[in-house]
Amino acid sequence: MTDKATQIAEMLAPTIASLGVELLGIEYLPAPGSATLRLYIDVPTAELDATPEGQEPRSVTIEDCEAVSREVSAQLDVEDPISGNYNLEVSSPGIDRPLFTIEHYRRFAGEIAKVGLKLPHEGRRRLQGEILGVEGEQVAFAVDGVRFAVPFSNIDKGRIVPDWAALGFAPSKGSPSRGKPTKDKASKQDASKKK
């Protein structure tokens, strides 16, 4: 996250937590005329971890997004950390979950991630591979069958790459059937407000 996004996240996290969800991270995208402030919220990790086995864990609803949007809008109007116009978007992480903290990389070890780097590392600015784990301040990936460790401080953006075949949206590898996905496109819960 940028310094501005980090500042806003620290300011908003307690408000969002008071609504029974947690702030995963923020994307602040300045643009001429109107910036975008995108908040990603999720069910608190402790609540997810406490879900009884065999029971479906609670997920973020559109009502959660709307409640966060209302409360955050009021707080931003008072504290005014963004000069000028901006669009506020509140969303669940979705299946292509963004990764904001080193803890996110630790939690999703074993998943495939797509990562952009701030500066080239060993000749790469982008990579896609399995998250092997966190080692100190580095995140290790398996990229093209080779271990590739990156300082977390050099990671600009990261997202989980969904396994579309496992989710039933694409034929599995080696499947003779090719063509259209087997399910409708997944919907993303979103609530927006323009200031």
Side-chain angles (χ1 to χ4, degrees), residues 42-160:
D42 202 359
V43 175
T45 305
E47 184 179 331
L48 291 174
D49 292 344
T51 303
E53 194 165 325
Q55 185 177 330
E56 191 68 28
R58 179 171 82 91
S59 60
V60 171
T61 64
I62 191 71
E63 290 79 15
D64 291 322
C65 293
E66 289 169 347
V68 168
S69 182
R70 276 192 306 274
E71 292 297 317
V72 163
S73 290
Q75 185 176 358
L76 291 172
D77 286 346
V78 170
E79 305 208 18
D80 204 22
I82 301 171
S83 59
N85 293 331
Y86 63 91
N87 291 314
L88 173 63
E89 298 176 7
V90 177
S91 177
S92 65
I95 56 177
D96 60 341
R97 170 182 289 271
L99 304 167
F100 292 101
T101 67
I102 200 164
E103 285 304 315
H104 292 164
Y105 288 90
R106 183 175 283 117
R107 180 178 169 196
F108 292 100
E111 298 285 343
I112 304 297
K114 184 182 286 189
V115 174
L117 305 177
K118 295 174 185 172
L119 299 169
H121 185 76
E122 296 181 23
R124 289 181 174 265
R125 268 308 278 273
R126 292 183 178 89
L127 62 98
Q128 182 171 317
E130 179 185 348
I131 303 169
L132 298 176
V134 174
E135 302 159 358
E137 292 299 311
Q138 295 199 326
V139 182
F141 300 89
V143 180
D144 301 326
V146 177
R147 186 181 170 283
F148 189 82
V150 179
F152 176 72
S153 61
N154 193 29
I155 295 177
D156 183 35
K157 289 184 178 184
R159 283 191 171 277
I160 296 294

Side-chain angles (χ1 to χ4, degrees), residues 14-30:
T15 301
I16 293 169
S18 74
L19 298 170
V21 292
E22 72 179 7
L23 179 63
L24 289 181
I26 289 180
E27 291 177 346
Y28 174 63
L29 309 166

